[in-house]
Amino acid sequence: MMKGLAITNNVEISSLEIRELTGKKGIKEGNAVIFSADAKKLCDLCYLGRSFKRIAELICSFEFSDLDDIRKKIRTEGFEADSFRASCIREGSHDFSSSDVEKAVGDNVDCRVDLKSPQKTLLAYVSGNRFYLGVDYSGFDIGKRSYKIFPHPASIRGDVAYILLRMAGYKKNKTFVDPFCGSGTIAIEAALYSMGKSVHCHDKGKFAFSKFFEYKFDDMNVDDMNGEACKIFGTDSSQNAIIAA
């Protein structure tokens, strides 16, 4: 059993979702959740999860004082790949750049570098004075949605819309009304959640894990809903918004 890392906009809802999808309880640290999982469960969280920004297999984590401290504490034991690249997400104010962190990670790996199409990506997440390093399973910001073709000027992210739904106590197959729906993000998230359909059903080829793990993408058939209709309603004062939704 390995350790997983979830980067999120809300650790409470993401911890709940991790428990629902893996059966494991997560440890909340700032904007991250640490949990136990195997490779299959990490893939499940990428594809079936709704509240996450990134999912990774955690290699090491620690508190640091500066860039030199990060260089001293980085550990990459056990990491193997045909090729790799380093990537960094940084939150907070630091006297170093994301590129500095990526170089520090790369200097600790004895593996062929491929910046365009690596087999694996080592994802460094720096939040305040906390450092995390893991193998990126998602490969892109999974909090964004490919269904948002016509975004509203005041549109919110898909993961944030889902988080708001869960915070409001929305239950599957219950009637939902959004009187100011904009481009429909919250209503769409409610419908996909109620149906049990992945928000990334059209993004299967984008996941980083597809380069090193064979995963079966299971999509629910609408016939499995036993004829129960999703009662989702969205209205808006703008006709353009309704058309976009």
Side-chain angles (χ1 to χ4, degrees):
M1 190 69 69
M2 61 185 70
K3 290 290 185 182
L5 168 69
I7 304 173
T8 174
N9 280 312
N10 187 288
V11 292
E12 298 296 336
I13 298 302
S14 288
S15 295
L16 171 63
E17 196 171 20
I18 287 168
R19 188 163 66 249
E20 291 173 344
L21 292 174
T22 70
K24 302 295 183 180
K25 184 178 180 180
I27 300 172
K28 292 167 279 190
E29 297 182 358
N31 291 327
V33 183
I34 311 300
F35 54 94
S36 297
D38 58 20
K40 166 66 166 54
K41 290 298 185 183
L42 292 179
C43 296
D44 286 342
L45 291 173
C46 289
Y47 185 59
L48 302 175
R50 305 171 193 275
S51 66
F52 314 116
K53 295 166 69 176
R54 290 291 185 98
I55 295 292
E57 174 194 342
L58 185 63
I59 296 176
C60 69
S61 66
F62 50 81
E63 292 184 352
F64 67 91
S65 56
D66 53 28
L67 184 60
D68 285 338
D69 199 26
I70 291 177
R71 292 193 183 101
K72 293 175 184 176
K73 293 180 178 178
I74 286 179
R75 297 291 181 270
T76 58
E77 290 87 351
F79 175 74
E80 295 181 355
D82 294 335
S83 61
F84 91 104
R85 75 179 179 95
S87 178
C88 177
I89 297 174
R90 192 167 54 85
E91 297 175 350
S93 178
H94 306 96
D95 59 0
F96 53 83
S97 67
S98 295
S99 296
D100 293 330
V101 176
E102 292 167 1
K103 185 178 186 305
V105 172
D107 289 342
N108 278 269
V109 180
D110 183 15
C111 182
R112 181 172 66 87
V113 175
D114 186 341
L115 299 179
K116 291 185 177 180
S117 184
Q119 183 194 27
K120 294 181 181 180
T121 296
L122 281 173
L123 176 65
Y125 175 51
V126 183
S127 179
N129 70 333
R130 193 78 189 175
F131 178 90
Y132 304 85
L133 182 66
V135 179
D136 190 1
Y137 269 59
S138 45
F140 62 100
D141 185 348
I142 54 177
K144 296 181 179 180
R145 309 294 197 243
S146 59
Y147 64 70
K148 296 183 71 173
I149 302 172
F150 304 106
H152 188 270
S155 181
I156 61 176
R157 287 169 53 101
D159 58 336
V160 174
Y162 171 76
I163 287 167
L164 292 173
L165 283 170
R166 296 304 301 268
M167 291 177 67
Y170 176 68
K171 304 295 183 182
K172 293 183 178 182
N173 296 322
K174 296 297 182 181
T175 300
F176 178 83
V177 180
D178 184 351
F180 307 100
C181 69
S183 55
T185 306
I186 296 179
I188 291 169
E189 291 291 323
L192 292 173
Y193 173 59
S194 189
M195 293 170 63
K197 190 175 183 65
S198 169
V199 295
H200 298 297
C201 58
H202 300 298
D203 300 324
K204 296 184 179 73
K206 294 173 62 177
F207 290 105
F209 64 71
S210 62
K211 292 186 177 181
F212 56 85
F213 186 84
E214 187 173 342
Y215 179 74
K216 182 179 180 182
F217 292 94
D218 289 324
D219 287 314
M220 176 186 156
N221 190 309
V222 291
D223 293 337
D224 295 337
M225 294 182 65
N226 298 319
E228 294 186 49
C230 297
K231 300 175 182 177
I232 311 293
F233 300 93
T235 66
D236 198 276
S237 60
S238 167
Q239 182 66 25
N240 288 336
I242 293 297
I243 293 171

